[in-house]
Amino acid sequence: MLHTIEERIAAGKYVLIAEAGVNYYDIAKEKNLSTIDAAKLMIKEAADSKVHAIKFQSYKANTLASKDSPYYWNIAEEPTTSQFELFKKFDSFGEAEYAELAEYAEQCKIEFLSTAFDIQSADYLEKFMNVYKISSSDLNNLPFVKYQAKKNKPILLSIGAADFDEIKRTVEVIRSVNDKTLTLLHCVLEYPTPYEHANLNKIKTLAENFPNMTIGYSDHTKPDEGYEVLKTAYNLGAQVIEKHFTLDKNLKGNDHYHAMDPDDIRKIIEKFDYIDMLRGKGELKCLETEMKARENARRSLVAAKNLAEGEIITPDMITWKRPASGIPVDEFDSIVGKKVSQNITEDTVLQYSMFS
């Protein structure tokens, strides 16, 4: 199995995760494919776009929601008003299908993972993935959180709709049984999230309050021109970025309307790589490319007047001017008191050989 997420986090690199969820059901209908072939197509398109991982969702409607559970999404985009009825549309996959998808993802050289929503899926997924993703909706489901944490694999924990005390408590539960990399994903549980509700400064707040955790962002805003939401999240410290993924953003229903497509992924990666280039290495040293400017724009010591051989240098006899081809200006105090060993004309750039 690939360890791309863990390796990139350890190396200080960003991670971009395509959240396929269950969008392949709609893509199957649109393209007249079987659901498994549509899911594989999503994997291939994601891999071709060079995203680092693709994530699905593993659940059964009857273990996830009661039959009268109300909706919490935008019904103008997804008209189903019952959680149970919505999830029932997309719960046909089980262990065999996810095993096939995980194997195909390995062939495509993209890391596979899926959010488990019940004990059964948490168990069978263990064989297929190196990282567990825990949904915001299960953040306070401490028995289930602990059950997954005991697998002792790295965890991505979304913290949407959670208060600080709840996040802290869940982190403590995880840490009581799991010492692997723990990533907290800022998330807003509005589908889609209005830009004015994105609250991206929460990324900094998470980093301040959980300094030993990796911080990330799970995005539900609609892709904006220039990808300013994701670029801002990255610049604020989100190392792991997760966003819903589709092959057609115009499809109605489910998670297509706030998802990125393969073209978006390519552009987002291009933007992040550009940001990385701008950030550089951060070393406190002069660049080789700065040396010419350094030598010509810095100053060195210069004779402020004509100096006669044998004179003793006093402060009024020397000044500093460009370029830095003579005695460095920070040697001013050490030159004062030296004896001039030759006649020097005013405005001469001073050299050590001129003094004894």
Side-chain angles (χ1 to χ4, degrees), residues 25-72:
Y25 284 87
D26 298 322
I27 290 166
K29 290 178 183 177
E30 180 193 40
K31 297 185 178 295
N32 195 28
L33 297 170
S34 68
T35 49
I36 194 72
D37 284 341
K40 286 183 176 180
L41 179 61
M42 292 191 77
I43 291 172
K44 183 180 186 305
E45 292 285 349
D48 288 348
S49 71
K50 305 302 182 186
V51 78
H52 305 118
I54 185 165
K55 189 182 80 66
F56 293 87
Q57 295 177 9
S58 301
Y59 57 72
K60 295 296 181 182
N62 63 347
T63 63
L64 181 56
S66 62
K67 290 184 172 58
D68 61 354
S69 52
Y71 70 93
Y72 54 89

Side-chain angles (χ1 to χ4, degrees), residues 131-144:
V131 177
Y132 272 79
K133 165 67 192 294
I134 298 175
S135 165
S136 295
S137 61
D138 276 323
L139 182 134
N140 72 330
N141 187 354
L142 299 183
F144 189 40

Side-chain angles (χ1 to χ4, degrees), residues 246 248-252 256-257:
T246 183
D248 186 349
K249 293 186 287 188
N250 294 316
L251 283 174
K252 296 293 286 185
H256 304 284
Y257 56 94

Side-chain angles (χ1 to χ4, degrees), residues 1 95 99 102 122-130 132 153:
M1 293 186 288
E95 180 173 357
D123 284 343
Y124 69 66
L125 286 169
E126 185 177 5
K127 300 186 292 290
F128 312 139
M129 62 188 197
N130 289 312
Y132 272 79
K153 294 191 177 188

Side-chain angles (χ1 to χ4, degrees), residues 280-291 294 298:
K281 296 180 179 179
E283 297 173 308
L284 298 177
K285 59 183 291 187
C286 176
L287 299 174
E288 286 296 323
T289 52
E290 294 179 295
M291 288 305 298
R294 174 188 170 113
R298 285 193 174 188

Side-chain angles (χ1 to χ4, degrees), residues 80-323:
T80 308
T81 57
S82 158
Q83 290 186 55
F84 179 83
E85 293 302 326
L86 179 67
F87 298 142
K88 193 64 181 171
K89 296 178 185 179
F90 308 119
D91 74 347
S92 66
F93 278 16
E95 180 173 357
E97 290 80 10
Y98 288 112
E100 188 172 344
L101 294 182
E103 181 179 1
Y104 185 69
E106 189 84 12
Q107 293 172 16
C108 293
K109 294 182 169 48
I110 182 172
E111 184 164 358
F112 167 90
L113 63 159
S114 185
T115 302
F117 284 92
D118 52 48
I119 295 291
Q120 183 181 14
S121 59
D123 284 343
Y124 69 66
L125 286 169
E126 185 177 5
K127 300 186 292 290
F128 312 139
M129 62 188 197
N130 289 312
V131 177
Y132 272 79
K133 165 67 192 294
I134 298 175
S135 165
S136 295
S137 61
D138 276 323
L139 182 134
N140 72 330
N141 187 354
L142 299 183
F144 189 40
V145 168
K146 191 169 187 177
Y147 187 86
Q148 294 179 86
K150 282 182 175 179
K151 306 290 186 182
N152 206 30
K153 294 191 177 188
I155 289 176
L156 307 174
L157 174 67
S158 280
I159 53 90
D163 296 326
F164 172 75
D165 288 345
E166 293 177 308
I167 300 167
K168 186 172 180 289
R169 181 181 61 178
T170 303
V171 166
E172 289 171 352
V173 167
I174 292 171
R175 277 291 173 248
S176 70
V177 294
N178 184 306
D179 62 358
K180 297 297 190 291
T181 302
L182 176 56
T183 301
L184 304 182
L185 301 178
H186 165 43
C187 176
V188 178
L189 292 190
E190 289 185 76
Y191 301 84
T193 300
Y195 299 126
E196 62 270 24
H197 293 177
N199 193 21
L200 295 180
N201 273 331
K202 192 172 178 181
I203 293 165
K204 292 198 303 182
T205 307
L206 282 170
E208 291 164 1
N209 284 278
F210 299 95
N212 297 320
M213 310 291 160
T214 304
I215 305 301
Y217 175 53
S218 181
D219 182 50
H220 296 132
T221 65
K222 290 186 176 182
D224 60 290
E225 186 177 357
Y227 309 99
E228 301 302 330
V229 173
L230 297 187
K231 282 159 48 180
T232 301
Y234 184 39
N235 275 325
L236 287 171
Q239 187 178 353
V240 178
I241 305 282
E242 175 189 75
K243 187 164 180 64
H244 282 270
F245 174 58
T246 183
L247 302 185
D248 186 349
K249 293 186 287 188
N250 294 316
L251 283 174
K252 296 293 286 185
N254 209 41
D255 292 315
H256 304 284
Y257 56 94
H258 57 88
M260 60 184 178
D261 63 18
D263 186 52
D264 290 320
I265 290 174
R266 293 182 182 92
K267 291 176 181 175
I268 291 165
I269 289 174
E270 182 181 294
K271 302 292 186 186
F272 283 8
D273 287 346
Y274 183 69
I275 289 171
D276 282 347
M277 181 272 290
L278 293 174
R279 288 178 174 178
K281 296 180 179 179
E283 297 173 308
L284 298 177
K285 59 183 291 187
C286 176
L287 299 174
E288 286 296 323
T289 52
E290 294 179 295
M291 288 305 298
K292 185 175 181 180
R294 174 188 170 113
E295 291 168 1
N296 287 288
R298 285 193 174 188
R299 308 193 205 195
S300 52
L301 297 178
V302 173
K305 58 180 70 175
N306 291 331
L307 305 176
E309 181 180 353
E311 284 191 283
I312 302 300
I313 294 295
T314 57
D316 62 309
M317 293 178 177
I318 54 176
T319 187
W320 45 83
K321 293 184 182 182
R322 297 180 181 187

